[in-house]
Amino acid sequence: MSAETSVPRPRESDVDISDSALLKGLLSEAEFAFAFFDVDGRIQRVNDVFTDVVGVPAERLLGRASAEALTAEIGQVVTQSFQTVIGSGGPVAERRVRVRSPEGENRHWSMSFSPVHDESGELLAVAMLGLDVTESRQVEEDLRRSEERYRSLVEAQSQLVWITSPTGTVVEDAPQWRAITGQGLEEYLAYGWLEAVHQEERQQTEEAWKEALRGRTMFEWNYRVRTRASGFRHFEVRAVPIIRHGRVVEWVGANTDVTPQREAEEMRGRLTDQLGAAALRTARLQGATAQLAEALTVEQVVQVIIDVGRTALAADRSAVALLDTDRAALKLINGEGVPEASGSSGEEIPLSHTSVMTMAVNSRRPFFAESPVSLKLQLLEAGGDKDVLSTYLANSDERAWVGLPLLAAGRALGALRFSFTRPQKISQEDGVFLEALAGQCALAVERATLFEREHRTAETLQRSLLPDRLPVIKGLELAQRFRSGSRHVQVGGDWYDAFVLQDGRVAAVVGDVMGKGVKAAAGMGRIRNAMRALALTNPPPAAVLTGLDRVFDATEEEEQVTTLAYMVVEPVTGEGTLALAGHPPPVLVSPQGTAILCDAEPGTPLGWPTSRRQFRFVVPPGHTAVLYSDGLVENRKRGLDAGLAEICSVVTEAPPEVVGSPHMLLDFLVDRMLSGYEQDDDVTALAIHVPPATKSD
């Protein structure tokens, strides 16, 4: 038995290639699987590698048909391949089969089957050669996966890959491009792709592409491409030359669809603009709210509204009106009337008359008219006078209007009117801002109205409690000064009093009840009245303060803090006694302009358990004693100790004529002590001056 071959036998005389021992040695040492099959398909010879592959010992294989001896999968491959060789007389190459190794690992084998003929050409057997191709199969699989991943990545990124010749003409089809543009193959080839580029960008794109071709440099560009649906999509383009041996053999490029990014950028731009506008509106609203919070009176609130209308809204004119429910009319606080309303006076607009303000109040909703046509249509529909409106629009430069109701807890307080000398587009966001602004204005108006009402009540109460004038006493001069801690709040807890006792001596007191408004004024009134009653009954200062402690415990709240300085002085001689209840010490000013602080024990505020003491305090002739509240010497920037030192220093700077007049002295002290500081508390001062003795005395 021999295989037909054209290769001559080797010349080695001592080796017989047909020797079975030599063949057996070759088969046992080979790394490939080997098997012989006779013409009937029975296995005649195998090597160890084959038995390892099929997992069957050699003794169970020899002499048996492959379908009987091998596993189903291997047996099927071997049987089919054998029959093909027998039928065709030719070989069968690379039949793949997967087998599981003894270690449980899947291995891939490639089996080739060849006919074996004798010298006469008769088929003697079929030889099978098997190679382990697991590693190469894995390489192929990795390459296939890499290609699939690349293809998926390109598709996911909306990329269109294309190839051109070295001269830049398209010679290969790009189905993705044509699927998007709708071009036929002939339309796309060569430079036909340029026809799909947006007309405005076509020439620049062609010039840039030719420039890249000439320079053999990377082509990076972006343009819009007309789609099959006649719309346009944005693409970013990048192409590179493929160079071999110094020559460009082709260009490979990719178009990335960036339409979503462009649309997102445009959307971000719009959102940025909207957020910027919203932030600006928010800042304007916060600014208006801060200004309104500082406005205490209705007049101040109106001025803030006018300023906000001019700065935040760019309104040319602003008007504010408050509702008079008794007269069913809007009373203008500022402005020159509402000219679009018929039959209204300059200061009053009946709710029955149609106007921008009455429309807002009656409907409880904002009123917007972005043009004269819009204003006329809305007011005529609401019953406005056609002739009045026509005359007004013909003679007015106003071209847009906003009316806002002032609502507090659903109750109408009035209305705002803003007008513009140009048509004004009111967006939904602007409307929200205007409603929020109107809400803040309404709260400010309500707060200012309540404040003014409380102020009037407290001011009336204070005037009824404080003395109309100080008593005129021979041998003694009295003077007082009061300055409010706010430009508008005239009512606080500071108070003063001076009156003649039954024995002819004079009682003088300065007190400070913590707080502002009606509550503080009422507390001040109770303490003042109680002090007068106690002083007229038992005038010594220590006794009066002890009695006030009992009154305080019975009538005042625990958290209330009240201090006072109380002295009794003899006219002419100035002999006196003093008691303090947590109050700053009096200042004694000499005729020469020196100041001495009383060193009496300051004591504790009223109501605090303590043993009250009184001290001798003399105001010699020509001297002046000054009682004062802490607002004169203490503020946010100046502590009490520094203030007491400063008041003594200020006294030394007073001219002689000021020192000799209690009225001038108080004016001088108040002006100089408050100069350079923001006053944040009431200031009360009471001067007791004993005139110098004369010869007639």
Side-chain angles (χ1 to χ4, degrees):
M1 182 184 302
S2 64
E4 182 178 351
T5 177
S6 60
V7 180
R9 289 178 175 273
R11 294 182 180 181
E12 294 84 342
S13 59
D14 56 344
V15 177
D16 185 359
I17 196 169
S18 61
D19 187 281
S20 60
L22 177 60
L23 178 61
K24 182 177 180 181
L26 290 173
L27 295 180
S28 63
E29 296 296 331
E31 294 183 358
F32 52 82
F34 190 85
F36 274 112
F37 302 88
D38 62 17
V39 293
D40 295 326
R42 291 186 295 274
I43 301 172
Q44 297 299 314
R45 191 159 190 171
V46 295
N47 67 351
D48 293 340
V49 177
F50 182 84
T51 60
D52 291 340
V53 171
V54 300
V56 181
E59 58 269 18
R60 291 174 54 187
L61 295 174
L62 299 178
R64 300 178 63 185
S66 57
E68 299 174 356
L70 303 177
T71 61
E73 184 177 359
I74 299 177
Q76 182 180 5
V77 171
V78 171
T79 300
Q80 291 177 351
S81 300
F82 176 84
Q83 292 173 353
T84 300
V85 172
I86 294 297
S88 65
V92 174
E94 296 185 0
R95 293 296 304 272
R96 297 294 179 93
V97 64
R98 184 179 62 180
V99 299
R100 183 177 292 276
S101 68
E103 294 78 14
E105 180 184 4
N106 287 329
R107 307 292 295 180
H108 295 272
W109 286 81
S110 174
M111 297 182 176
S112 297
F113 297 82
S114 303
V116 180
H117 300 87
D118 60 12
E119 295 179 353
S120 62
E122 183 179 356
L123 179 67
L124 297 178
V126 175
M128 187 223 70
L129 184 67
L131 294 175
D132 187 343
V133 294
T134 304
E135 284 72 17
S136 61
R137 176 68 178 268
Q138 185 63 43
V139 171
E140 293 175 0
E141 181 68 18
D142 292 343
L143 180 60
R144 182 185 63 80
R145 289 181 180 177
S146 178
E147 292 175 350
E148 290 177 348
R149 290 168 182 168
Y150 174 75
R151 187 180 303 108
S152 300
L153 182 61
V154 170
E155 293 175 355
Q157 293 182 346
S158 303
Q159 286 188 325
L160 311 178
V161 179
W162 46 268
I163 300 174
T164 74
S165 69
T167 60
T169 57
V170 176
V171 294
E172 294 186 19
D173 189 14
Q176 289 177 294
W177 172 276
R178 295 195 299 105
I180 290 176
T181 62
Q183 289 182 308
L185 180 59
E186 294 301 322
E187 294 177 297
Y188 169 64
L189 294 177
Y191 279 88
W193 60 273
L194 279 168
E195 296 299 319
V197 177
H198 194 286
Q199 185 175 0
E200 296 177 359
E201 301 162 356
R202 189 176 302 162
Q203 182 178 352
Q204 291 181 335
T205 299
E206 183 177 7
E207 292 175 356
W209 174 232
K210 290 181 178 179
E211 180 65 26
L213 292 173
R214 286 191 294 267
R216 301 200 308 178
T217 57
M218 180 183 293
F219 175 64
E220 291 183 290
W221 203 249
N222 59 78
Y223 49 67
R224 286 170 289 174
V225 173
R226 184 185 63 251
T227 66
R228 183 189 298 271
S230 299
F232 287 91
R233 297 190 71 80
H234 294 269
F235 282 89
E236 287 185 353
V237 189
R238 176 175 291 185
V240 294
I242 305 301
I243 300 176
R244 294 177 188 163
H245 307 296
R247 298 179 56 188
V248 176
V249 296
E250 63 183 4
W251 288 76
V252 178
N255 288 17
T256 303
D257 188 344
V258 294
T259 304
Q261 292 92 313
R262 287 292 184 90
E263 293 175 347
E265 289 175 2
E266 294 175 0
M267 177 63 74
R268 281 196 297 270
R270 290 193 295 270
L271 289 175
T272 299
D273 293 341
Q274 293 175 2
L275 290 173
L280 180 59
R281 285 190 292 267
T282 301
R284 287 172 173 173
L285 182 60
Q286 290 175 340
T289 302
Q291 294 180 56
L292 290 168
E294 295 179 357
L296 297 177
T297 66
V298 173
E299 180 182 356
Q300 286 183 316
V301 171
V302 170
Q303 185 58 52
V304 170
I305 293 173
I306 294 173
D307 293 341
V308 170
R310 181 175 61 254
T311 57
L313 304 180
D316 297 290
R317 297 184 183 91
S318 305
V320 183
L322 298 183
L323 180 62
D324 186 340
T325 54
D326 294 334
R327 297 176 61 85
L330 291 172
K331 183 178 180 181
L332 276 172
I333 305 302
N334 73 310
E336 300 178 355
V338 182
E340 76 272 13
S342 60
S344 62
S345 64
E347 295 183 353
E348 190 173 277
I349 315 161
L351 293 179
S352 58
H353 294 175
T354 305
S355 70
V356 171
M357 283 184 159
T358 56
M359 290 278 286
V361 171
N362 290 332
S363 66
R364 301 293 199 274
R365 293 183 300 177
F367 174 88
F368 302 130
E370 300 176 344
S371 66
V373 174
S374 175
L375 177 74
K376 191 171 184 179
L377 287 175
Q378 293 186 73
L379 295 189
L380 287 179
E381 185 178 351
D385 189 302
K386 182 177 181 180
D387 294 336
V388 171
L389 283 172
S390 299
T391 302
Y392 159 65
L393 292 175
N395 296 281
S396 174
D397 61 348
E398 296 180 338
R399 290 295 177 264
W401 299 262
V402 172
L404 301 173
L406 295 175
L407 305 175
R411 180 172 56 90
L413 302 178
L416 308 180
R417 180 185 187 272
F418 300 109
S419 59
F420 308 83
T421 56
R422 62 202 176 282
Q424 189 82 0
K425 181 66 177 178
I426 306 297
S427 65
Q428 183 178 0
E429 292 78 10
D430 292 333
V432 173
F433 166 73
L434 290 170
E435 287 192 65
L437 175 62
Q440 293 297 320
C441 292
L443 292 175
V445 167
E446 184 179 41
R447 184 176 62 250
T449 302
L450 292 174
F451 168 79
E452 289 184 346
R453 185 184 307 156
E454 179 180 341
H455 168 68
R456 287 192 297 269
T457 301
E459 190 176 42
T460 301
L461 175 60
Q462 186 181 41
R463 278 198 299 266
S464 68
L465 295 175
L466 294 179
D468 295 333
R469 58 183 180 275
L470 295 175
V472 178
I473 305 165
K474 184 178 179 180
L476 205 64
E477 292 183 30
L478 301 176
Q480 61 82 21
R481 292 293 183 270
F482 173 83
R483 185 176 294 186
S484 171
S486 168
R487 289 172 295 173
H488 309 289
V489 179
Q490 301 298 326
V491 180
D494 279 19
W495 57 285
Y496 64 91
D497 200 2
F499 51 92
V500 181
L501 299 173
Q502 293 181 354
D503 57 7
R505 290 182 299 169
V506 176
V509 61
V510 169
D512 185 358
V513 178
M514 182 184 66
K516 298 287 184 183
V518 174
K519 183 176 180 181
M524 175 266 288
R526 288 191 294 271
I527 298 300
R528 173 184 176 273
N529 291 336
M531 198 220 71
R532 274 207 171 205
L534 291 169
L536 291 173
T537 304
N538 188 14
V544 171
L545 263 59
T546 301
L548 286 176
D549 285 335
R550 292 194 294 268
V551 172
F552 198 93
D553 288 338
T555 61
E556 305 305 312
E557 298 177 358
E558 290 184 1
E559 64 272 14
Q560 181 65 57
V561 177
T562 299
T563 67
L564 60 82
Y566 170 55
M567 67 176 294
V568 175
V569 62
E570 182 81 33
V572 181
T573 65
E575 290 285 341
T577 52
L578 169 73
L580 300 176
H583 206 79
V587 175
L588 184 63
V589 181
S590 71
Q592 293 75 31
T594 59
I596 300 175
L597 285 174
C598 176
D599 59 357
E601 183 180 320
T604 58
L606 293 181
W608 292 32
T610 184
S611 176
R612 297 297 179 182
R613 298 176 59 189
Q614 63 185 35
F615 305 89
R616 181 172 181 268
F617 185 73
V618 180
V619 185
H623 288 64
T624 303
V626 180
L627 308 182
Y628 51 90
S629 63
D630 59 358
L632 181 65
V633 294
E634 187 178 23
N635 53 46
R636 291 189 181 95
K637 295 183 178 180
R638 182 174 61 195
L640 180 60
D641 291 340
L644 294 176
E646 188 170 344
I647 194 173
C648 293
S649 176
V650 167
V651 168
T652 62
E653 300 173 2
E657 63 273 15
V658 170
V659 174
S661 168
H663 295 279
M664 295 175 64
L665 178 62
L666 290 186
D667 289 336
F668 183 82
L669 288 177
V670 171
D671 290 341
R672 293 293 297 273
M673 290 299 293
L674 299 184
S675 178
Y677 296 99
E678 180 180 354
Q679 184 183 350
D680 52 16
D681 196 4
D682 294 343
V683 173
T684 303
L686 179 64
I688 301 97
H689 176 69
V690 177
T694 63
K695 292 182 179 181
S696 59
D697 295 336

